[in-house]
Amino acid sequence: MKKRKYSIYRECQGRENLDKIPVAVIGATGAVGQRFVALLWGHPWFDLRVVVASGKSQGHIYRDIASWRLKEIMPEGIGEMNVEQIHPKTFKDKEIKLIFSALPPKIAKDVEMDLASLGFFVFSNASANRMADYVPLLIADINPDHLALVEHQKKTKSGYVVTNANCSVTGLATALKPLHEAFGIKSVVVTTYQALSGAGYPGVPSLDITGNIVPYIQSEEEKIEVECRKILGKLTDSGIEHSPINVYASCARVPVRDGHLESVLVDFKEDVSEEEVKRALSGYEGLDNKTPTSPKRPIIVTEDESRPQPIFDVYNGEPERARGMAVTIGRIKRIHGKIRFYLLIHNTVRGAAGCSIMNAELAEMEGYI
Ligand SMILES: NC(=O)c1ccc[n+]([C@@H]2O[C@H](COP(=O)([O-])OP(=O)(O)OC[C@H]3O[C@@H](n4cnc5c(N)ncnc54)[C@H](OP(=O)(O)O)[C@@H]3O)[C@@H](O)[C@H]2O)c1
Protein backbone atom coordinates (compact mmCIF):
# COMPACT_ATOMS: atom_id res chain seq x y z
CA MET A 1 0.00 0.00 0.00
CA LYS A 2 1.42 3.37 -1.05
CA LYS A 3 0.16 6.20 1.15
CA ARG A 4 -0.16 9.47 -0.72
CA LYS A 5 1.74 12.41 0.65
CA TYR A 6 -0.73 15.25 0.55
CA SER A 7 -0.41 17.30 3.71
CA ILE A 8 -3.11 19.96 3.46
CA TYR A 9 -5.59 18.11 1.35
CA ARG A 10 -8.27 20.73 1.19
CA GLU A 11 -5.83 23.13 -0.45
CA CYS A 12 -4.72 20.77 -3.19
CA GLN A 13 -8.12 19.37 -4.11
CA GLY A 14 -8.04 20.94 -7.57
CA ARG A 15 -5.77 18.22 -8.95
CA GLU A 16 -4.09 20.48 -11.49
CA ASN A 17 -1.10 18.15 -11.59
CA LEU A 18 -2.87 14.85 -11.09
CA ASP A 19 -5.26 13.13 -13.42
CA LYS A 20 -8.74 12.66 -12.05
CA ILE A 21 -9.77 9.09 -11.26
CA PRO A 22 -12.39 7.69 -13.70
CA VAL A 23 -15.48 6.38 -11.87
CA ALA A 24 -18.85 4.74 -12.54
CA VAL A 25 -22.15 4.76 -10.64
CA ILE A 26 -24.23 1.58 -10.70
CA GLY A 27 -27.89 2.02 -9.78
CA ALA A 28 -27.53 5.59 -11.06
CA THR A 29 -31.21 6.30 -11.72
CA GLY A 30 -32.52 5.70 -8.16
CA ALA A 31 -32.76 8.02 -5.15
CA VAL A 32 -29.17 7.35 -4.03
CA GLY A 33 -27.80 6.97 -7.56
CA GLN A 34 -29.06 10.42 -8.53
CA ARG A 35 -27.45 11.87 -5.44
CA PHE A 36 -24.16 10.18 -6.43
CA VAL A 37 -24.37 11.65 -9.90
CA ALA A 38 -25.08 15.15 -8.55
CA LEU A 39 -22.20 14.99 -6.04
CA LEU A 40 -19.69 13.51 -8.48
CA TRP A 41 -20.40 16.06 -11.20
CA GLY A 42 -17.50 18.53 -11.03
CA HIS A 43 -15.78 16.54 -8.29
CA PRO A 44 -12.16 17.68 -7.92
CA TRP A 45 -10.66 14.16 -7.82
CA PHE A 46 -13.18 11.88 -9.54
CA ASP A 47 -14.35 11.91 -13.14
CA LEU A 48 -17.82 10.37 -13.68
CA ARG A 49 -17.61 8.41 -16.95
CA VAL A 50 -20.31 5.72 -16.78
CA VAL A 51 -23.85 5.54 -15.36
CA VAL A 52 -25.46 2.12 -15.02
CA ALA A 53 -29.03 0.99 -14.30
CA SER A 54 -31.20 -2.06 -14.96
CA GLY A 55 -31.97 -3.59 -18.35
CA LYS A 56 -35.13 -1.50 -18.69
CA SER A 57 -33.09 1.73 -18.58
CA GLN A 58 -30.19 0.59 -20.75
CA GLY A 59 -29.69 2.49 -24.00
CA HIS A 60 -31.65 5.53 -22.84
CA ILE A 61 -30.19 8.98 -22.29
CA TYR A 62 -29.86 9.63 -18.53
CA ARG A 63 -32.03 12.76 -18.72
CA ASP A 64 -34.93 10.77 -20.19
CA ILE A 65 -34.84 7.88 -17.75
CA ALA A 66 -33.80 9.41 -14.38
CA SER A 67 -36.85 11.05 -12.85
CA TRP A 68 -34.66 13.76 -11.29
CA ARG A 69 -36.34 14.56 -8.00
CA LEU A 70 -33.52 16.52 -6.36
CA LYS A 71 -34.12 20.13 -5.46
CA GLU A 72 -31.25 21.19 -7.70
CA ILE A 73 -31.56 21.44 -11.47
CA MET A 74 -29.88 18.52 -13.26
CA PRO A 75 -26.43 19.92 -14.17
CA GLU A 76 -25.79 20.40 -17.85
CA GLY A 77 -23.86 17.48 -19.35
CA ILE A 78 -25.08 14.78 -16.94
CA GLY A 79 -28.31 14.43 -18.83
CA GLU A 80 -26.60 13.51 -22.08
CA MET A 81 -24.83 10.41 -20.72
CA ASN A 82 -25.94 7.01 -22.06
CA VAL A 83 -27.27 4.59 -19.44
CA GLU A 84 -25.32 1.32 -19.57
CA GLN A 85 -25.77 -2.15 -18.08
CA ILE A 86 -23.31 -3.69 -15.61
CA HIS A 87 -20.53 -4.99 -17.78
CA PRO A 88 -16.86 -5.19 -16.74
CA LYS A 89 -15.77 -4.51 -20.33
CA THR A 90 -17.62 -1.16 -20.34
CA PHE A 91 -15.73 -0.17 -17.19
CA LYS A 92 -12.39 -1.38 -18.53
CA ASP A 93 -12.87 0.42 -21.86
CA LYS A 94 -13.33 3.68 -19.91
CA GLU A 95 -10.31 2.91 -17.63
CA ILE A 96 -12.56 2.70 -14.58
CA LYS A 97 -11.34 1.01 -11.39
CA LEU A 98 -13.52 2.83 -8.87
CA ILE A 99 -17.27 2.03 -8.80
CA PHE A 100 -19.97 3.54 -6.58
CA SER A 101 -22.90 1.20 -6.00
CA ALA A 102 -26.51 2.17 -5.28
CA LEU A 103 -27.96 -1.22 -6.23
CA PRO A 104 -30.85 -2.92 -4.45
CA PRO A 105 -29.41 -5.33 -1.84
CA LYS A 106 -30.46 -8.56 -3.58
CA ILE A 107 -28.59 -7.61 -6.74
CA ALA A 108 -25.69 -5.99 -4.94
CA LYS A 109 -24.69 -9.08 -2.96
CA ASP A 110 -23.04 -11.05 -5.76
CA VAL A 111 -22.47 -8.26 -8.29
CA GLU A 112 -20.30 -6.24 -5.91
CA MET A 113 -18.20 -9.25 -4.84
CA ASP A 114 -17.79 -10.33 -8.48
CA LEU A 115 -16.62 -6.84 -9.45
CA ALA A 116 -14.13 -6.89 -6.55
CA SER A 117 -12.82 -10.26 -7.77
CA LEU A 118 -12.25 -8.69 -11.18
CA GLY A 119 -10.09 -5.97 -9.61
CA PHE A 120 -12.59 -3.13 -9.12
CA PHE A 121 -12.78 -1.02 -5.97
CA VAL A 122 -16.47 -0.94 -5.04
CA PHE A 123 -17.91 1.62 -2.59
CA SER A 124 -21.43 0.48 -1.80
CA ASN A 125 -24.60 1.72 -0.12
CA ALA A 126 -26.34 -1.63 -0.21
CA SER A 127 -26.83 -3.58 3.01
CA ALA A 128 -26.01 -6.94 1.41
CA ASN A 129 -22.27 -7.07 2.21
CA ARG A 130 -22.10 -4.70 5.20
CA MET A 131 -21.76 -7.34 7.89
CA ALA A 132 -19.31 -9.60 5.99
CA ASP A 133 -16.21 -10.18 8.13
CA TYR A 134 -13.61 -8.38 6.03
CA VAL A 135 -15.83 -5.68 4.53
CA PRO A 136 -15.33 -2.30 6.21
CA LEU A 137 -18.55 -0.64 7.39
CA LEU A 138 -16.99 2.75 7.04
CA ILE A 139 -17.83 6.35 7.92
CA ALA A 140 -14.55 8.01 7.01
CA ASP A 141 -14.63 10.63 9.75
CA ILE A 142 -15.87 8.21 12.44
CA ASN A 143 -13.95 4.92 12.07
CA PRO A 144 -11.26 5.61 9.40
CA ASP A 145 -8.99 2.86 10.77
CA HIS A 146 -11.55 0.20 9.67
CA LEU A 147 -10.59 0.86 6.03
CA ALA A 148 -7.51 -1.33 6.64
CA LEU A 149 -9.84 -4.39 6.59
CA VAL A 150 -9.57 -4.34 2.80
CA GLU A 151 -6.04 -5.77 3.23
CA HIS A 152 -7.76 -9.07 4.19
CA GLN A 153 -9.92 -8.97 1.02
CA LYS A 154 -6.86 -8.31 -1.10
CA LYS A 155 -5.41 -11.70 -0.09
CA THR A 156 -8.05 -13.42 -2.27
CA LYS A 157 -9.23 -10.68 -4.65
CA SER A 158 -7.50 -8.04 -6.74
CA GLY A 159 -10.18 -5.47 -5.77
CA TYR A 160 -12.35 -4.97 -2.72
CA VAL A 161 -15.75 -3.86 -1.39
CA VAL A 162 -16.18 -1.04 1.14
CA THR A 163 -19.69 -0.33 2.44
CA ASN A 164 -21.29 2.55 4.25
CA ALA A 165 -23.95 2.10 6.86
CA ASN A 166 -27.73 2.31 6.87
CA CYS A 167 -28.70 6.00 6.73
CA SER A 168 -30.14 6.15 10.27
CA VAL A 169 -27.11 4.32 11.65
CA THR A 170 -24.73 6.82 10.05
CA GLY A 171 -26.38 9.68 11.95
CA LEU A 172 -26.51 7.73 15.19
CA ALA A 173 -22.92 6.44 15.02
CA THR A 174 -21.67 9.95 14.22
CA ALA A 175 -23.23 11.21 17.46
CA LEU A 176 -22.23 8.22 19.58
CA LYS A 177 -18.56 8.08 18.57
CA PRO A 178 -17.33 11.20 20.44
CA LEU A 179 -19.64 10.43 23.39
CA HIS A 180 -18.41 6.84 23.71
CA GLU A 181 -14.79 7.98 23.47
CA ALA A 182 -15.29 10.61 26.16
CA PHE A 183 -17.61 8.90 28.67
CA GLY A 184 -18.29 5.27 27.71
CA ILE A 185 -21.82 4.24 26.69
CA LYS A 186 -23.81 1.39 28.26
CA SER A 187 -26.91 1.45 26.08
CA VAL A 188 -28.90 3.56 23.62
CA VAL A 189 -32.62 3.85 22.86
CA VAL A 190 -33.38 5.45 19.48
CA THR A 191 -36.67 6.34 17.78
CA THR A 192 -36.45 7.43 14.15
CA TYR A 193 -38.72 9.59 11.98
CA GLN A 194 -37.53 8.69 8.48
CA ALA A 195 -37.98 10.59 5.24
CA LEU A 196 -39.62 9.22 2.10
CA SER A 197 -36.45 9.32 -0.01
CA GLY A 198 -35.09 6.64 2.33
CA ALA A 199 -37.45 4.20 0.61
CA GLY A 200 -35.96 4.85 -2.85
CA TYR A 201 -37.86 6.11 -5.88
CA PRO A 202 -40.88 6.02 -6.28
CA GLY A 203 -40.89 4.52 -2.78
CA VAL A 204 -43.92 4.52 -0.47
CA PRO A 205 -47.33 4.76 -2.23
CA SER A 206 -48.82 8.25 -1.70
CA LEU A 207 -52.07 6.85 -0.23
CA ASP A 208 -50.10 5.07 2.50
CA ILE A 209 -48.17 8.12 3.66
CA THR A 210 -50.10 11.32 2.90
CA GLY A 211 -51.26 12.73 6.26
CA ASN A 212 -49.96 9.58 7.94
CA ILE A 213 -47.06 7.96 9.82
CA VAL A 214 -46.13 4.31 9.26
CA PRO A 215 -44.49 2.75 12.34
CA TYR A 216 -42.72 0.01 10.39
CA ILE A 217 -39.74 -0.05 8.03
CA GLN A 218 -38.69 -3.53 7.02
CA SER A 219 -35.43 -4.73 8.69
CA GLU A 220 -34.50 -1.17 9.74
CA GLU A 221 -34.55 -1.72 13.51
CA GLU A 222 -32.38 -4.84 13.21
CA LYS A 223 -29.88 -3.02 10.97
CA ILE A 224 -29.55 -0.16 13.46
CA GLU A 225 -28.85 -2.53 16.31
CA VAL A 226 -26.12 -4.59 14.61
CA GLU A 227 -24.46 -2.03 12.34
CA CYS A 228 -23.86 0.41 15.18
CA ARG A 229 -21.91 -2.24 17.06
CA LYS A 230 -19.67 -2.94 14.07
CA ILE A 231 -18.92 0.76 13.37
CA LEU A 232 -18.11 1.45 17.02
CA GLY A 233 -16.13 -1.80 17.26
CA LYS A 234 -12.37 -2.23 17.50
CA LEU A 235 -10.09 -3.16 14.59
CA THR A 236 -8.02 -6.24 15.49
CA ASP A 237 -5.68 -8.49 13.48
CA SER A 238 -8.55 -10.91 12.86
CA GLY A 239 -11.25 -8.37 11.95
CA ILE A 240 -13.64 -6.14 13.90
CA GLU A 241 -14.43 -6.87 17.53
CA HIS A 242 -17.98 -5.56 17.80
CA SER A 243 -18.79 -3.05 20.52
CA PRO A 244 -20.93 -4.45 23.38
CA ILE A 245 -23.22 -1.36 23.39
CA ASN A 246 -26.89 -2.36 23.36
CA VAL A 247 -29.00 -0.35 20.92
CA TYR A 248 -32.82 -0.51 21.05
CA ALA A 249 -34.42 0.97 17.92
CA SER A 250 -37.97 1.86 16.81
CA CYS A 251 -38.43 3.21 13.28
CA ALA A 252 -41.25 5.07 11.55
CA ARG A 253 -41.74 6.51 8.05
CA VAL A 254 -43.01 10.11 8.00
CA PRO A 255 -44.18 12.34 5.13
CA VAL A 256 -40.92 14.30 4.82
CA ARG A 257 -38.90 14.51 1.63
CA ASP A 258 -35.28 14.29 2.85
CA GLY A 259 -33.78 13.99 6.33
CA HIS A 260 -34.13 11.40 9.09
CA LEU A 261 -34.83 12.81 12.55
CA GLU A 262 -33.86 10.60 15.50
CA SER A 263 -34.71 10.90 19.19
CA VAL A 264 -31.82 9.35 21.16
CA LEU A 265 -31.59 8.41 24.84
CA VAL A 266 -28.09 7.46 26.02
CA ASP A 267 -27.20 5.68 29.26
CA PHE A 268 -23.54 6.37 30.11
CA LYS A 269 -21.13 4.42 32.29
CA GLU A 270 -20.54 7.55 34.36
CA ASP A 271 -22.53 10.59 35.41
CA VAL A 272 -22.42 13.13 32.56
CA SER A 273 -23.82 16.67 32.39
CA GLU A 274 -25.58 18.37 29.47
CA GLU A 275 -22.65 20.77 29.12
CA GLU A 276 -20.10 17.94 28.91
CA VAL A 277 -22.16 16.27 26.19
CA LYS A 278 -22.46 19.52 24.20
CA ARG A 279 -18.70 20.08 24.44
CA ALA A 280 -17.86 16.53 23.33
CA LEU A 281 -20.25 16.71 20.35
CA SER A 282 -19.43 20.20 19.09
CA GLY A 283 -15.67 19.69 19.60
CA TYR A 284 -15.54 16.57 17.44
CA GLU A 285 -13.40 17.31 14.39
CA GLY A 286 -13.45 14.07 12.39
CA LEU A 287 -10.65 13.57 9.88
CA ASP A 288 -7.37 15.41 10.54
CA ASN A 289 -6.74 15.76 6.82
CA LYS A 290 -10.01 16.90 5.34
CA THR A 291 -11.09 15.46 1.99
CA PRO A 292 -13.27 17.41 -0.50
CA THR A 293 -16.53 15.94 0.83
CA SER A 294 -15.69 15.67 4.54
CA PRO A 295 -17.36 18.44 6.55
CA LYS A 296 -15.32 20.94 8.55
CA ARG A 297 -17.42 19.90 11.57
CA PRO A 298 -19.17 16.48 11.36
CA ILE A 299 -21.56 17.54 14.15
CA ILE A 300 -23.34 20.88 14.57
CA VAL A 301 -24.96 21.50 17.93
CA THR A 302 -27.93 23.85 17.94
CA GLU A 303 -29.22 25.67 21.05
CA ASP A 304 -32.58 26.46 19.41
CA GLU A 305 -35.24 24.55 21.38
CA SER A 306 -37.27 23.85 18.24
CA ARG A 307 -34.44 22.38 16.13
CA PRO A 308 -33.14 20.37 14.34
CA GLN A 309 -35.84 20.31 11.66
CA PRO A 310 -35.46 18.73 8.19
CA ILE A 311 -36.78 21.82 6.45
CA PHE A 312 -34.12 24.12 7.96
CA ASP A 313 -31.16 21.93 8.87
CA VAL A 314 -30.88 19.04 6.42
CA TYR A 315 -28.23 20.74 4.26
CA ASN A 316 -25.94 21.75 7.15
CA GLY A 317 -22.24 21.28 6.50
CA GLU A 318 -19.29 23.28 5.23
CA PRO A 319 -17.62 23.89 2.80
CA GLU A 320 -19.99 24.02 -0.18
CA ARG A 321 -19.09 20.48 -1.37
CA ALA A 322 -19.93 19.15 2.12
CA ARG A 323 -23.47 20.59 2.25
CA GLY A 324 -25.69 17.95 3.84
CA MET A 325 -22.67 16.16 5.35
CA ALA A 326 -23.02 17.48 8.92
CA VAL A 327 -25.29 15.83 11.49
CA THR A 328 -27.26 18.45 13.45
CA ILE A 329 -27.97 17.78 17.13
CA GLY A 330 -30.25 19.71 19.47
CA ARG A 331 -32.52 19.53 22.53
CA ILE A 332 -29.75 17.96 24.63
CA LYS A 333 -31.29 17.29 28.03
CA ARG A 334 -30.38 15.29 31.13
CA ILE A 335 -33.35 13.16 32.21
CA HIS A 336 -33.13 10.85 35.26
CA GLY A 337 -29.36 10.45 34.89
CA LYS A 338 -29.52 9.74 31.14
CA ILE A 339 -28.95 12.13 28.22
CA ARG A 340 -31.64 12.69 25.58
CA PHE A 341 -31.13 14.57 22.30
CA TYR A 342 -32.53 14.83 18.77
CA LEU A 343 -30.32 14.43 15.71
CA LEU A 344 -30.94 15.03 12.02
CA ILE A 345 -29.10 13.44 9.09
CA HIS A 346 -29.54 13.95 5.35
CA ASN A 347 -30.29 10.35 4.44
CA THR A 348 -29.16 10.37 0.80
CA VAL A 349 -26.14 12.68 1.34
CA ARG A 350 -24.35 11.87 4.62
CA GLY A 351 -26.47 8.74 5.01
CA ALA A 352 -25.65 7.37 1.55
CA ALA A 353 -23.92 8.86 -1.54
CA GLY A 354 -21.95 11.62 0.24
CA CYS A 355 -20.61 9.16 2.81
CA SER A 356 -19.58 6.70 0.10
CA ILE A 357 -17.73 9.43 -1.79
CA MET A 358 -16.01 10.60 1.40
CA ASN A 359 -14.98 6.96 2.04
CA ALA A 360 -13.48 6.69 -1.46
CA GLU A 361 -11.65 9.99 -0.93
CA LEU A 362 -10.15 8.57 2.27
CA ALA A 363 -9.15 5.40 0.39
CA GLU A 364 -7.46 7.49 -2.29
CA MET A 365 -5.68 9.58 0.34
CA GLU A 366 -4.50 6.42 2.12
CA GLY A 367 -3.17 4.90 -1.12
CA TYR A 368 -5.81 2.16 -1.56
CA ILE A 369 -6.89 3.32 -5.04
N1 LIG B 1 -32.53 5.87 -0.12
C1 LIG B 1 -31.74 6.01 0.93
O1 LIG B 1 -31.83 6.97 1.72
C2 LIG B 1 -30.65 4.98 1.19
C3 LIG B 1 -29.73 5.23 2.19
C4 LIG B 1 -28.71 4.31 2.45
C5 LIG B 1 -28.63 3.17 1.68
N2 LIG B 1 -29.54 2.92 0.70
C6 LIG B 1 -29.36 1.72 -0.12
O2 LIG B 1 -28.86 2.16 -1.40
C7 LIG B 1 -29.33 1.29 -2.43
C8 LIG B 1 -30.12 2.13 -3.47
O3 LIG B 1 -31.25 2.70 -2.83
P1 LIG B 1 -32.26 3.68 -3.58
O4 LIG B 1 -33.09 4.23 -2.49
O5 LIG B 1 -31.53 4.58 -4.48
O6 LIG B 1 -33.11 2.62 -4.48
P2 LIG B 1 -33.94 2.89 -5.83
O7 LIG B 1 -34.41 4.30 -5.87
O8 LIG B 1 -34.93 1.81 -5.90
O9 LIG B 1 -32.84 2.69 -7.01
C9 LIG B 1 -32.34 1.41 -7.38
C10 LIG B 1 -31.38 1.55 -8.55
O10 LIG B 1 -30.85 0.27 -8.89
C11 LIG B 1 -31.04 0.04 -10.29
N3 LIG B 1 -31.20 -1.40 -10.55
C12 LIG B 1 -32.22 -2.21 -10.17
N4 LIG B 1 -31.99 -3.47 -10.63
C13 LIG B 1 -30.81 -3.42 -11.32
C14 LIG B 1 -30.05 -4.37 -12.04
N5 LIG B 1 -30.45 -5.67 -12.15
N6 LIG B 1 -28.89 -3.99 -12.63
C15 LIG B 1 -28.47 -2.71 -12.54
N7 LIG B 1 -29.15 -1.75 -11.88
C16 LIG B 1 -30.31 -2.11 -11.27
C17 LIG B 1 -32.29 0.83 -10.64
O11 LIG B 1 -32.32 1.05 -12.06
P3 LIG B 1 -33.71 1.21 -12.88
O12 LIG B 1 -34.11 2.68 -12.74
O13 LIG B 1 -33.30 0.89 -14.27
O14 LIG B 1 -34.70 0.28 -12.28
C18 LIG B 1 -32.01 2.10 -9.83
O15 LIG B 1 -31.05 2.89 -10.50
C19 LIG B 1 -30.19 0.23 -1.75
O16 LIG B 1 -29.40 -0.90 -1.50
C20 LIG B 1 -30.62 0.92 -0.45
O17 LIG B 1 -30.92 0.00 0.58
C21 LIG B 1 -30.54 3.80 0.43
Side-chain angles (χ1 to χ4, degrees):
M1 188 201 34
K2 202 162 83 267
K3 191 162 172 153
R4 309 238 191 237
K5 296 269 183 257
Y6 302 127
S7 50
I8 314 169
Y9 232 72
R10 191 78 85 187
E11 262 83 89
C12 57
Q13 48 176 262
R15 293 224 148 197
E16 287 84 13
N17 304 320
L18 291 161
D19 288 333
K20 287 192 187 183
I21 298 162
V23 305
V25 174
I26 56 180
T29 51
V32 175
Q34 291 186 20
R35 192 59 76 178
F36 265 126
V37 169
L39 293 172
L40 286 167
W41 201 250
H43 190 281
W45 301 357
F46 303 142
D47 177 20
L48 178 61
R49 293 199 182 165
V50 172
V51 287
V52 170
S54 74
K56 78 173 163 55
S57 307
Q58 189 208 5
H60 290 270
I61 302 292
Y62 189 70
R63 179 183 300 287
D64 297 341
I65 203 75
S67 42
W68 196 256
R69 289 293 186 273
L70 307 180
K71 229 171 27 183
E72 303 85 357
I73 308 286
M74 189 188 281
E76 212 177 308
I78 292 179
E80 313 319 315
M81 297 184 87
N82 281 313
V83 179
E84 316 269 356
Q85 262 191 295
I86 298 170
H87 207 296
K89 186 172 177 315
T90 312
F91 301 139
K92 286 189 175 148
D93 287 350
K94 298 264 172 80
E95 299 174 328
I96 287 165
K97 290 278 277 181
L98 173 55
I99 296 174
F100 292 102
S101 168
L103 291 177
K106 276 192 186 141
I107 294 158
K109 192 168 179 54
D110 292 337
V111 166
E112 291 175 0
M113 285 298 176
D114 290 349
L115 287 170
S117 297
L118 290 169
F120 295 101
F121 309 130
V122 182
F123 286 77
S124 171
N125 279 276
S127 57
N129 294 309
R130 282 180 195 151
M131 299 308 289
D133 280 351
Y134 296 139
V135 172
L137 185 51
L138 190 70
I139 309 172
D141 51 7
I142 297 299
N143 58 347
D145 55 321
H146 289 202
L147 178 61
L149 271 187
V150 299
E151 296 288 356
H152 287 280
Q153 292 185 56
K154 285 166 88 181
K155 288 177 193 158
T156 54
K157 295 181 175 72
S158 47
Y160 56 76
V161 176
V162 172
T163 57
N164 45 289
N166 165 281
C167 35
S168 299
V169 174
T170 302
L172 185 61
T174 300
L176 297 184
K177 172 69 190 275
L179 297 179
H180 191 47
E181 263 178 8
F183 315 114
I185 293 173
K186 278 201 292 200
S187 65
V188 177
V189 178
V190 59
T191 307
T192 68
Y193 308 77
Q194 300 190 202
L196 294 170
S197 57
Y201 188 80
V204 188
S206 59
L207 275 182
D208 289 353
I209 198 69
T210 308
N212 197 19
I213 293 175
V214 182
Y216 174 67
I217 303 173
Q218 197 184 13
S219 306
E220 197 77 356
E221 292 160 1
E222 294 80 355
K223 282 182 200 162
I224 294 178
E225 290 164 16
V226 298
E227 290 183 18
C228 239
R229 290 209 196 110
K230 183 170 178 182
I231 295 168
L232 297 175
K234 212 185 291 165
L235 179 71
T236 70
D237 289 344
S238 53
I240 302 293
E241 190 186 299
H242 290 212
S243 160
I245 295 175
N246 281 325
V247 182
Y248 307 94
S250 309
C251 300
R253 183 77 64 202
V254 297
V256 165
R257 199 184 164 101
D258 289 315
H260 294 352
L261 187 70
E262 305 178 26
S263 162
V264 186
L265 185 73
V266 185
D267 192 7
F268 290 102
K269 288 182 183 162
E270 55 185 86
D271 202 24
V272 182
S273 71
E274 288 171 17
E275 282 313 312
E276 285 174 312
V277 166
K278 280 180 197 168
R279 267 201 303 277
L281 291 172
S282 55
Y284 187 69
E285 292 189 350
L287 287 173
D288 291 339
N289 281 331
K290 297 289 179 190
T291 67
T293 309
S294 58
K296 197 165 134 199
R297 294 262 167 208
I299 298 168
I300 293 172
V301 174
T302 172
E303 293 288 348
D304 186 328
E305 275 295 312
S306 67
R307 308 273 276 273
Q309 291 183 30
I311 206 164
F312 298 123
D313 300 308
V314 79
Y315 279 100
N316 279 349
E318 290 180 285
E320 181 65 21
R321 186 157 278 286
R323 282 183 74 234
M325 286 296 286
V327 171
T328 307
I329 297 182
R331 305 212 53 223
I332 299 168
K333 199 168 165 39
R334 191 166 183 275
I335 305 170
H336 302 305
K338 300 182 174 66
I339 293 286
R340 191 283 325 273
F341 56 83
Y342 279 81
L343 72 81
L344 177 75
I345 176 170
H346 195 310
N347 52 295
T348 62
V349 182
R350 186 163 179 99
C355 186
S356 222
I357 293 171
M358 176 171 70
N359 288 347
E361 291 167 352
L362 177 71
E364 158 62 0
M365 201 158 71
E366 294 291 320
Y368 283 105
I369 287 174

